[in-house]
Amino acid sequence: MHELGVVFHVIDDVLDLAKQNDVKHINSVTLQIGTVTGIVPDYLKECWNWAVSKHDETKDCALKIEKIEAITHCEDCGNDYNTIIYGKTCPKCKSGNTYLIQGNEFVIKEMEVV
């Protein structure tokens, strides 16, 4: 389960930001997560709820997740399509000359603080 390592990394980052800005408590953290990152949101939330209780600054800190759909671009015909449904092969021209343009992101978007 790599979600626990991801959670530790995010908490370290937000704690560093909190310290730099004299923040006493972090109420929530919003993450943007692409659908092809391999991260399972339910596992991430479980790990998050356990890990935030270990720091005074993050006790009861909510995790908000915004899903970013995976979109692939076909270089042959210019079509953009849903990667989850069609994979690497363009549904319009059947070309495999494609690349992912979004959906692999993992971004700390924002923190709500006191």
Side-chain angles (χ1 to χ4, degrees), residues 74-109:
C74 177
E75 291 194 280
D76 290 344
C77 72
N79 185 36
D80 293 339
Y81 62 90
N82 185 307
T83 309
I84 300 296
I85 296 172
Y86 299 105
K88 233 181 119 44
T89 303
C90 176
K92 185 175 178 183
C93 73
K94 308 301 183 217
S95 171
N97 189 19
T98 61
Y99 61 90
L100 188 69
I101 57 175
Q102 76 175 43
N104 201 28
E105 299 86 350
F106 185 89
V107 177
I108 301 172
K109 180 182 177 185

Side-chain angles (χ1 to χ4, degrees), residues 2 4 12 14 23 32 40 46 57 64 68 78-80 85 87 89 92 95 104 112:
H2 69 286
L4 186 57
D12 286 346
V14 298
V23 169
Q32 293 179 319
V40 179
E46 286 180 31
E57 300 88 348
K64 300 176 185 177
I68 299 174
N79 185 36
D80 293 339
I85 296 172
T89 303
K92 185 175 178 183
S95 171
N104 201 28
E112 182 184 322

